[in-house]
Amino acid sequence: MNGVSAPVIEVKDLVAHYGVRKILDEINFCVEPGEIRIIMGGSGSGKTTLLRHLLGLHTPTRGSIRILDTDIAKAAIGQMHELRKKVGVAFQGGALFSSLTVGENIKLPLREHAKLDEKTMDIMVRLKLEVVNLSGFENLMPAQLSGGMVKRAAVARAIIMDPKLLFFDEPSAGLDPVVSVELDELILRLREAMHMTIVVVTHELESAFKIADRITVLDHGRILTTGTIDEIQASDNARVQDLLNRRPRTAEVNPDEYLHRLTEG
């Protein structure tokens, strides 16, 4: 990480709502160049909503999000188009188009953002498939791939434009332990080989502890803590320890308040 360079991601006082319900509450954090940042938390913690805001899919109620020095809440359409050339996303389920071959799926960003001839695109696809250990699979259909292979093909598509910033949404979800470890190794290799900054949204503790430089823990739309692996493991925050040790949180219920909620809404 280079402390002199501007942060790749800078989030300040971010507040987000779904209707009247507040989902994110005063979120502040930075991601430095070359860092692998894990965003984790329990179900309903707000991590998926945060990712959607970082991708520019939702507009915050309040606050700012700067990605590669672009304020995405205020950016014009042309600015967002240019920014998206520098950002890759590997979606949770792969999100490959079932009617296209693996190679055609990987070419999609090139067709959208680059003016290249077909032969050049074919070469770039083969190079990226080599990176994710899927060499020779470009003519197969997504339905012919295993779950782990679909994930790796999605990574090849995410990196086809050589992005500066790469997002992963639950990369290990639905994978067996061996394939999950292989994907973790791939993430580490991508950072080293392509000098990327990587943000991973996950609830998988083993994966997080293997690849993270720093971890941000969310709970009920707020950041509980951010730190290195050692700092997170040593945290004296009870909720952080509940998450690390998979302890259910028991809530004390006031019978009168509970009855009021049911009858009065």
Side-chain angles (χ1 to χ4, degrees):
M1 291 183 286
N2 184 351
V4 176
S5 301
V8 174
I9 298 175
E10 187 173 12
V11 180
K12 290 185 178 181
D13 303 325
L14 177 64
V15 176
H17 288 78
Y18 288 154
V20 298
R21 185 180 179 189
K22 185 183 287 186
I23 307 299
L24 299 175
D25 188 7
E26 298 294 338
I27 299 295
N28 289 274
F29 71 95
C30 293
V31 178
E32 301 297 332
E35 180 181 353
I36 296 179
R37 172 67 63 91
I38 300 293
I39 298 174
M40 63 184 301
S43 178
S45 62
K47 58 185 186 296
T48 299
T49 299
L50 176 57
L51 176 61
R52 288 177 174 273
H53 280 77
L54 294 175
L55 295 176
L57 300 177
H58 294 314
T59 301
T61 305
R62 189 171 72 248
S64 66
I65 303 171
R66 297 189 72 83
I67 305 290
L68 295 169
D69 208 31
T70 297
D71 187 336
I72 63 174
K74 299 178 180 178
I77 293 175
Q79 288 177 295
M80 288 301 296
H81 184 76
E82 290 301 312
L83 177 62
R84 288 187 172 121
K85 295 180 184 180
K86 305 173 186 176
V87 177
V89 185
F91 296 98
Q92 181 173 337
L96 300 182
F97 289 93
S98 60
S99 59
L100 302 179
T101 66
V102 170
E104 289 167 340
N105 267 282
I106 296 169
K107 283 181 189 177
L108 284 175
L110 296 175
R111 295 195 189 282
E112 178 72 20
H113 298 296
K115 296 179 180 179
L116 299 171
D117 61 81
E118 203 68 26
K119 185 175 181 180
T120 300
M121 288 193 290
D122 286 339
I123 292 171
M124 293 177 69
V125 167
R126 289 196 292 271
L127 285 171
K128 291 305 188 285
L129 285 173
E130 187 77 31
V131 170
V132 300
N133 295 324
L134 283 180
S135 181
F137 286 81
E138 58 267 31
N139 294 319
L140 293 184
M141 303 301 289
Q144 296 174 294
L145 304 181
S146 68
M149 292 165 72
V150 167
K151 297 264 190 177
R152 282 186 278 150
V155 173
R157 182 177 62 188
I159 65 174
I160 192 66
M161 297 282 291
D162 294 328
K164 296 180 180 179
L165 173 61
L166 183 59
F167 289 97
F168 283 89
D169 183 15
E170 298 285 2
S172 300
L175 301 180
D176 67 60
V178 174
V179 178
S180 294
V181 170
E182 291 174 350
L183 195 55
D184 291 339
E185 294 289 348
L186 174 59
I187 291 172
L188 291 170
R189 289 203 309 273
L190 287 174
R191 192 262 297 272
E192 296 305 317
M194 303 182 73
H195 307 290
M196 291 178 180
T197 303
I198 299 176
V199 176
V200 182
V201 173
T202 184
H203 66 278
E204 297 288 346
L205 289 173
E206 186 174 351
S207 176
F209 289 160
K210 181 178 179 62
I211 66 176
D213 291 310
R214 288 193 292 171
I215 299 173
T216 294
V217 182
L218 293 181
D219 186 49
H220 285 88
R222 286 182 167 270
I223 293 180
L224 291 180
T225 188
T226 292
T228 64
I229 295 170
D230 290 341
E231 288 168 343
I232 295 297
Q233 291 176 321
S235 173
D236 59 3
N237 184 292
R239 182 53 181 154
V240 171
Q241 290 303 319
D242 287 344
L243 289 169
L244 296 184
N245 294 288
R246 302 184 184 277
R247 292 195 296 256
R249 182 169 54 178
T250 56
E252 295 183 4
V253 178
N254 182 302
D256 293 332
E257 291 180 359
Y258 181 64
L259 180 61
H260 178 77
R261 288 204 308 271
L262 292 179
T263 58
E264 302 296 332

